[in-house]
Amino acid sequence: MNKSDSERIVEVLEKMGYQEASKENEADLILVNMCSVRQSAVDRVYGLAQKFKKLRTFNPKLRTVLTGCISKRDFLKFKNFFDFILPIKTLNFWPEILKKEKFHFLPDQREKNFIEKFGCQYLKIKPKYEKNFSVFIPISTGCNNFCSFCIVPFVRGPLICRDHKEILKEAKEAIENGAKEIWLLGQNVNDYHSPSDPSINFAKLLKMVNEIDGDFWLRFTSPHPKNFSDELIETMAKCQKVTPYLNLPVQSGDDEILKRMNRGYTVKEYKNLVKKIRKDFKKYRKGLEKEIAISTDVIVGFPGETERQFQNTVKLFKEIKFDMAYIAQYSPRPGTVAEKMKDDVPKKEKEKRWKVLTEILKETALKKNKKFIGKEIVVLPEEYKNGFLIGKCRHYKTVKFKGESNLIGNFVKVKITNALPWGLTGC
Ligand code: SF4
């Protein structure tokens, strides 16, 4: 989401006459779009204080701006070394605000007045996409879920949805301009309802984007297992532009931990959901697409997680056989409910649990990837390095193959010759 926000920030700054500087010491303005989900990202921003001091000795006119997800606690400290602190939702007003010498503004994004004044108006700004062939389109911002470990509802405010007509317009224009991959973005996409017509939920929106003319792939992130409807499952499986890949965050394989995380589902419900999704893809897709790739997000060492509770996550990993998993070692986020819980799983133990899950994942991912050997699949290359192209296939697996850089951003047929746990190689 922050990446997508940055594309709108670039558009606003360029309209104001700014150009990208090639070096930090040549910049008149440095903008930091911050993420608060992990402490390591916040620490990196703290680390900038010294750098700014040094840069100011070269250029006393340097101005610094901080935006993104900022907690109240961090705001009070960052005020000392950023000239401007601005919520992203105020982006439409930046050309005016940046005329001032300094401005620090961090209201509670859940306040009624703030929501009424700013809402998600900034999403109307036409973004300057980083890559025209792979485009992120936000469908909503914020979240109402309050998972106990997560800071998003505090720093991004409540869920606010974009009008479906605006989303369709942006998607159509992107496809006409050569987009091959559309990502619909939201902190919790399956809570989506169009403000002008609440009968248009996420499943209906997905179907509408799928119906846009053109040869493109349709992806989305992130869904919540709690309210993943049968309608959405069937729509995903039936809409052929929707790629056979889903990131479905489970967070834990233990019911007691899930409850304390305030996730709103049980392990059994999660497993049933995966079963249904796999069943519908088998029913409505052909060939390799009959098997959907499923990845997950999981936290190890959540406060109070016992060995037995962790073993339930191990069991779930063995049972579901994920294609990929983003495994995080728990660290408390200021202002969340979980921050008040005792962070009592030692760091060493968290690392051990991370390793156990990673080993299981390596095995299951490799087994899944081996099924691609000998098959010809379509890849969208994004990067060129030393004679090789690197990109993703429809199952969102990384594929490396020999090729020329002019193929970046085009669909390319690749024959898979080898499989590794974290990717495929081909020719
Ligand atoms: Fe955070 Fe996602 Fe939970 Fe919302 S649903 S609170 S964004 S983890």
Side-chain angles (χ1 to χ4, degrees):
M1 196 73 185
N2 277 29
K3 218 172 149 186
S4 167
D5 287 346
S6 292
E7 296 180 336
R8 286 179 161 78
I9 294 170
V10 171
E11 175 69 15
V12 169
L13 294 181
E14 283 193 356
K15 278 221 168 102
M16 288 174 68
Y18 285 101
Q19 285 175 338
E20 200 180 320
S22 54
K23 288 182 200 146
E24 281 168 342
N25 58 10
E26 287 173 0
D28 295 319
L29 181 134
I30 294 180
L31 185 136
V32 178
N33 189 5
M34 165 177 171
C35 169
S36 279
V37 168
R38 302 235 169 112
Q39 186 58 39
S40 54
V42 179
D43 292 343
R44 279 212 302 276
V45 180
Y46 277 112
L48 292 172
Q50 285 310 316
K51 188 178 248 182
F52 289 166
K53 237 188 203 170
K54 206 172 151 199
L55 287 170
R56 281 197 168 100
T57 60
F58 293 109
N59 180 7
K61 285 188 187 155
L62 173 70
R63 283 141 41 98
T64 53
V65 184
L66 179 67
T67 188
C69 301
I70 310 156
S71 73
K72 275 230 164 91
R73 211 174 298 179
D74 291 328
F75 172 80
L76 296 171
K77 293 178 192 157
F78 288 141
K79 254 173 104 169
N80 299 327
F81 64 93
F82 278 95
D83 301 316
F84 296 85
I85 299 184
L86 306 170
I88 185 67
K89 286 178 187 157
T90 62
L91 183 59
N92 303 57
F93 300 86
W94 287 16
E96 275 308 305
I97 297 172
L98 291 176
K99 281 182 194 158
K100 298 178 198 270
E101 208 171 295
K102 278 180 191 281
F103 194 61
H104 298 121
F105 179 49
L106 194 83
D108 186 337
Q109 301 215 27
R110 292 166 294 164
E111 274 171 16
K112 203 168 162 260
N113 289 348
F114 184 84
I115 298 166
E116 274 168 13
K117 185 159 182 201
F118 298 105
C120 60
Q121 290 302 313
Y122 84 99
L123 294 175
K124 286 189 194 300
I125 296 169
K126 206 172 160 12
K128 185 166 182 207
Y129 300 122
E130 195 187 325
K131 292 180 266 182
N132 278 336
F133 62 86
S134 177
V135 161
F136 295 106
I137 303 184
I139 64 164
S140 61
T141 174
C143 181
N144 297 337
N145 280 324
F146 293 94
C147 300
S148 64
F149 54 80
C150 181
I151 196 155
V152 167
F154 302 96
V155 292
R156 281 220 170 239
L159 177 83
I160 304 176
C161 298
R162 242 179 131 184
D163 198 274
H164 68 284
K165 290 187 236 78
E166 207 179 297
I167 298 166
L168 291 173
K169 186 172 171 272
E170 190 177 335
K172 247 186 215 165
E173 281 173 9
I175 294 156
E176 279 162 15
N177 289 324
K180 295 277 187 282
E181 182 178 60
I182 299 282
W183 280 92
L184 300 182
L185 291 187
Q187 258 83 35
N188 182 8
V189 288
N190 42 353
D191 266 354
Y192 177 84
H193 285 279
S194 175
S196 69
D197 181 355
S199 72
I200 299 177
N201 58 13
F202 183 60
K204 297 206 170 57
L205 178 73
L206 200 63
K207 193 164 176 275
M208 286 170 159
V209 180
N210 184 74
E211 279 162 5
I212 297 174
D213 280 343
D215 184 16
F216 65 95
W217 296 350
L218 181 52
R219 304 192 194 268
F220 61 85
T221 193
S222 302
H224 196 300
K226 180 173 70 171
N227 46 5
F228 208 112
S229 68
D230 288 352
E231 183 194 7
L232 177 56
I233 298 173
E234 199 178 320
T235 305
M236 271 181 74
K238 280 185 173 170
C239 290
Q240 301 293 324
K241 286 173 188 162
V242 175
T243 58
Y245 167 73
L246 180 68
N247 174 258
L248 194 61
V250 67
Q251 305 301 4
S252 169
D254 181 82
D255 282 342
E256 176 54 33
I257 296 287
L258 285 175
K259 208 169 168 188
R260 285 199 281 123
M261 285 177 164
N262 193 29
R263 290 291 288 172
Y265 53 85
T266 62
V267 176
K268 195 174 168 201
E269 283 162 351
Y270 184 90
K271 285 200 278 194
N272 283 340
L273 176 60
V274 171
K275 228 187 247 169
K276 272 192 203 167
I277 296 167
R278 285 181 168 157
K279 195 171 148 219
D280 272 16
F281 269 78
K282 279 210 168 69
K283 188 169 165 192
Y284 295 113
R285 298 285 175 118
K286 286 184 188 141
L288 277 176
E289 302 233 339
K290 278 186 171 293
E291 196 166 333
I292 180 172
I294 297 183
S295 70
T296 198
D297 300 348
V298 65
I299 298 171
V300 293
F302 187 76
E305 186 190 62
T306 61
E307 178 59 26
R308 182 188 54 79
Q309 288 168 330
F310 170 65
Q311 285 306 324
N312 285 335
T313 305
V314 170
K315 206 170 137 210
L316 180 84
F317 259 57
K318 287 184 177 165
E319 238 178 286
I320 300 272
K321 300 180 175 63
F322 291 107
D323 289 75
M324 181 48 75
Y326 305 95
I327 308 163
Q329 297 172 35
Y330 175 77
S331 71
R333 307 304 304 117
T336 60
V337 171
E339 191 204 11
K340 293 180 195 92
M341 301 175 190
K342 197 171 169 213
D343 183 16
D344 54 358
V345 180
K347 199 172 178 310
K348 276 229 155 104
E349 183 59 30
K350 286 178 187 165
E351 280 166 13
K352 199 189 101 196
R353 292 179 188 180
W354 179 89
K355 274 189 195 145
V356 171
L357 291 188
T358 304
E359 284 310 312
I360 299 167
L361 178 68
K362 261 190 197 167
E363 268 183 44
T364 57
L366 181 61
K367 254 190 204 158
K368 300 248 173 186
N369 289 353
K370 277 187 174 168
K371 292 184 183 170
F372 287 78
I373 296 178
K375 303 278 192 300
E376 194 178 70
I377 59 170
V378 180
V379 179
L380 182 60
E382 291 172 20
E383 215 188 317
Y384 173 82
K385 254 191 213 159
N386 310 322
F388 286 93
L389 286 163
I390 301 155
K392 298 279 187 202
C393 66
R394 281 176 60 84
H395 287 81
Y396 205 60
K397 294 181 185 287
T398 303
V399 185
K400 190 175 169 186
F401 60 101
K402 267 205 169 140
E404 297 303 323
S405 60
N406 60 356
L407 291 174
I408 288 179
N410 291 289
F411 289 139
V412 182
K413 281 189 180 163
V414 178
K415 180 133 188 229
I416 300 304
T417 50
N418 197 15
L420 301 161
W422 314 134
L424 307 166
T425 52
C427 54

